[in-house]
Amino acid sequence: MIKRLFFICSMFLLCSCSKLQAENQTEAGTKKLYLKYAKEFTAEFLDNGCTCVKIGTDNYIIVPENADFTDNTDGAVIIRQPLGNVYNAASSAMDLIDSTGSLGKVSMTSTKYEDWYLPAVRSAFDSDEMFYVGKYSAPDYEALIESDCSLAIESTMIYHSPDVKEKIESLGIPVLVERSSYEKYPLGRMEWIKLYGILFDCSDAAENFFEEKCSQIDSVLSDEKTGKTVAFFYINSSGGVVVRKPYDYVPEMIRMAGGEYVFSADDLKTDENSLSTMVIQPEVFYEKAWDTDILIYNSTITGEINTLEDLTERYPMLKDFSAVKKGDVWCTEKNMFQQTTGAADMITELHSIFTENCESKMNFMYRLGE
C-alpha cells in the first residue's frame, strides 16, 4: 500500500514538472514580452530582431535598423527604427516616453504648451525642441512632412477622425493607436512604458523604471485596509456630479491605498460605454457621500480651488458633508492625469492621506485649508 502511494505521488510530481516545463518551453518558444498587469497590448520578439505588437485589433511590426526583414506582413503596420521627430497626439503617452529617457525623439504634439503640466514637456517647448502642430483632428500635414516624421502616436480619439489617420498614413508615416488609458488596473497603465521601451530601443531603462516603481508600493499593498470611505468627484457646469465608475483605475488606486470607494456598481447603475466617468444627480451623490470620511475633488477639470470656503461657496450643498466639517477634503493637482507613471506615487499619497501621515508637500494632491 505504501509503495503504491509512493508511486502515485511520484507520478503526480513527474506530471506536474513535465507540465511546468512544457509551459516554460511554450513561453520561451514564443518569446513574448512578460506583462504583469497590462491587458491592452502584447509583444512578441522574433528571431530576426523584429517585434510584433498587438494593440486591440491592430497589429504592428517594429523593425530595427538593418534588420533582415521582408514586407510580407499581412496588413500589419511597419514601424522602422531608429525613431525621430515623432508626432505624439496621445497625451497619456508623453510621460511614459519621457520616463524611458526618449522625450528628445518627440518633436511634435497636438496639445498646446499651456495645456501641458509636465515640466519636461514645457522645457522642450521652451527650447524649441517640441512644437504644437494643431489638434489631433486637424494636424499640420506640411509640418509632419518637413520634419521627416517617423511615427504618429494617436489615442483612440483618432477613430472619430478616420480621414486624418488615412491622410497621415498616405504620407508614408506609420500610425500607432495606443490604449494605455483603457487599462483598468493602475499599474497596467504604467506598464505601457515597456512598449515605449521597445519602440525607442531602451527596454532596459523601461523595465528598470517599472520594477522600481512597483517595489515602491510593496509596503502599502501589504498594509491593512484603513476602512476610510472616499468619494472622488467634481461638479460640472450643469450642476451634475461627475464620478469615476467603480472599476476605473482611480477607484482601484483608492482601494490599493487602503481606502474604500463609496460608490458601487449597484449604486451607479453604470452603462457599458468606454467612458471612465459618469454623471449622477446631486441628490444621489448627497445620499451616498454626505458622511464619507474623505472627499477628493477633481479640480483638474473645473479649475483650482484653494480653500474649503471657496469650495462651499461654489457648491453650497457640500457644507453639510461630514468630511467638509472635519476638514478632510483634498483636491487634485493639474498633473495627475498627464503623469501616467505617477500611479505608484499617487497610491503612496492616498495611503498617507488615509493613514493621516501627510508630513510633506505632495505632488498630486493638496488639502483644502480653512
Side-chain angles (χ1 to χ4, degrees):
M1 182 67 180
I2 294 176
K3 288 183 178 180
R4 180 175 175 80
L5 182 60
F6 176 77
F7 174 77
I8 293 172
C9 292
S10 298
M11 290 302 294
F12 175 77
L13 289 172
L14 180 61
C15 291
S16 297
C17 291
S18 299
K19 182 180 179 182
L20 180 59
Q21 288 174 353
E23 288 174 350
N24 288 338
Q25 287 170 0
T26 300
E27 187 68 20
T30 58
K31 297 180 181 177
K32 289 183 179 179
L33 173 68
Y34 172 67
L35 293 170
K36 194 171 183 180
Y37 304 108
K39 304 295 183 186
E40 296 293 331
F41 84 96
T42 60
E44 182 177 339
F45 306 108
L46 305 182
D47 291 337
N48 62 0
C50 298
T51 305
C52 292
V53 172
K54 186 176 181 63
I55 303 174
T57 59
D58 298 326
N59 293 293
Y60 305 87
I61 298 179
I62 302 168
V63 183
E65 190 175 15
N66 301 321
D68 181 15
F69 174 75
T70 60
D71 287 335
N72 185 16
T73 61
D74 294 328
V77 177
I78 308 303
I79 301 173
R80 296 184 179 276
Q81 296 173 318
L83 296 176
N85 291 319
V86 170
Y87 165 51
N88 180 26
S91 59
S92 61
M94 196 71 89
D95 183 52
L96 294 163
I97 296 169
D98 182 29
S99 296
T100 68
S102 304
L103 190 63
K105 297 180 180 180
V106 179
S107 61
M108 294 164 282
T109 176
S110 63
T111 302
K112 293 181 179 179
Y113 175 87
E114 58 269 24
D115 294 324
W116 280 111
Y117 304 107
L118 301 175
V121 176
R122 287 201 163 199
S123 177
F125 268 93
D126 291 337
S127 57
D128 295 326
E129 295 172 356
M130 188 180 296
F131 55 97
Y132 172 71
V133 292
K135 291 180 61 178
Y136 79 93
S137 56
D140 184 339
Y141 298 112
E142 288 188 7
L144 299 182
I145 296 171
E146 291 173 1
S147 298
D148 195 21
C149 178
S150 62
L151 175 67
I153 302 173
E154 300 277 358
S155 72
T156 55
M157 291 295 292
I158 196 65
Y159 291 135
H160 297 295
S161 301
D163 55 323
V164 174
K165 182 174 181 290
E166 291 174 6
K167 176 63 175 177
I168 294 174
E169 291 171 334
S170 73
L171 299 176
I173 302 170
V175 177
L176 182 143
V177 182
E178 77 107 64
R179 295 172 60 90
S180 62
S181 61
Y182 282 69
E183 297 285 351
K184 301 301 182 184
Y185 197 68
L187 301 183
R189 295 163 65 90
M190 190 169 67
E191 196 167 18
W192 275 68
I193 193 172
K194 294 181 180 180
L195 173 62
Y196 294 103
I198 294 171
L199 280 169
F200 292 98
D201 196 21
C202 51
S203 288
D204 287 346
E207 292 275 357
N208 292 337
F209 182 93
F210 179 73
E211 292 302 324
E212 181 182 334
K213 285 295 182 181
C214 287
S215 63
Q216 175 183 320
I217 58 171
D218 284 344
S219 60
V220 172
L221 298 180
S222 62
D223 204 357
E224 293 183 3
K225 300 297 182 184
T226 66
K228 294 290 182 68
T229 53
V230 185
F232 187 99
F233 72 104
Y234 73 90
I235 299 175
N236 64 25
S237 57
S238 301
V241 183
V242 184
V243 298
R244 311 294 291 201
K245 292 179 180 177
Y247 301 110
D248 172 63
Y249 82 101
V250 173
E252 183 61 27
M253 284 197 297
I254 290 170
R255 289 186 284 267
M256 291 171 72
E260 179 184 336
Y261 188 58
V262 72
F263 299 107
S264 68
D266 291 337
D267 296 327
L268 298 181
K269 296 181 175 58
T270 56
D271 47 41
E272 297 299 323
N273 66 38
S274 61
L275 296 177
S276 60
T277 60
M278 63 179 299
V279 181
I280 61 176
Q281 293 303 310
E283 295 79 10
V284 176
F285 179 73
Y286 188 96
E287 179 184 354
K288 292 298 301 181
W290 73 271
D291 61 346
T292 296
D293 294 316
I294 296 166
L295 295 179
I296 302 177
Y297 189 80
N298 182 10
S299 55
T300 59
I301 306 296
T302 59
E304 187 174 357
I305 294 176
N306 296 310
T307 66
L308 283 171
E309 185 177 359
D310 290 342
L311 183 70
T312 53
E313 280 186 1
R314 192 181 299 186
Y315 312 115
M317 79 162 181
L318 296 177
K319 288 182 179 179
D320 294 332
F321 280 57
S322 176
V324 173
K325 292 178 179 179
K326 293 186 301 181
D328 219 347
V329 181
W330 300 76
C331 277
T332 59
E333 295 282 7
K334 292 181 179 180
N335 63 336
M336 180 171 177
F337 295 102
Q338 288 186 354
Q339 196 163 343
T340 311
T341 62
D345 299 299
M346 292 179 208
I347 292 167
T348 301
E349 289 190 5
L350 286 167
H351 184 260
S352 70
I353 291 172
F354 302 159
T355 57
E356 301 180 11
N357 190 30
C358 308
E359 297 180 355
S360 59
K361 184 181 183 300
M362 298 192 291
N363 292 320
F364 299 102
M365 278 162 277
Y366 61 96
R367 190 174 202 154
L368 290 184
E370 297 292 341

